[in-house]
Amino acid sequence: ISNIKNPNAIKINTINNHIIISNTKNNSILFLNENFEIINELNNNFKEPNKIAINSLNEIFVCDTGNDCIKILIYNKENYYIK
């Protein structure tokens, strides 16, 4: 995957087996399928997203370092969006 710059975290969403990567220097979160193909990229005002955590409700927490906040992402069986 050529468009990744300084990835700081990687997690697996066990509900759909998506691979979630913090693409820190590109200011985005990448979502890959099991074949490592990009299926989605969120860059909704992220600024140096860093760490990623997933809770038991399948909410994805992204430490958005450059914006000094934590953003919560939700998967609605079709796509990811910011809560």
Side-chain angles (χ1 to χ4, degrees):
I1 304 168
S2 62
N3 58 342
I4 295 179
K5 284 187 176 178
N6 196 25
N8 278 306
I10 184 168
K11 295 288 181 184
I12 305 294
N13 184 334
T14 57
I15 290 178
N16 55 22
N17 292 323
H18 289 167
I19 302 162
I20 305 166
I21 300 172
S22 64
N23 194 7
T24 303
K25 292 300 178 187
N26 279 335
N27 300 312
S28 67
I29 302 295
L30 289 175
F31 301 89
L32 307 152
N33 63 18
E34 295 170 322
N35 298 318
F36 300 100
E37 300 165 324
I38 296 173
I39 55 172
N40 195 1
E41 181 174 12
L42 286 181
N43 52 13
N44 304 66
N45 299 317
F46 283 111
K47 187 175 179 186
E48 297 185 2
N50 200 326
K51 304 298 179 197
I52 299 170
I54 303 175
N55 70 10
S56 62
L57 300 174
N58 202 36
E59 295 173 315
I60 303 159
F61 296 83
V62 177
C63 179
D64 192 359
T65 307
N67 286 317
D68 295 320
C69 68
I70 296 174
K71 293 182 179 171
I72 303 171
L73 308 178
I74 304 294
Y75 181 69
N76 68 0
K77 297 185 182 182
E78 293 179 20
N79 216 337
Y80 290 89
Y81 64 95
I82 294 177
K83 184 174 180 180

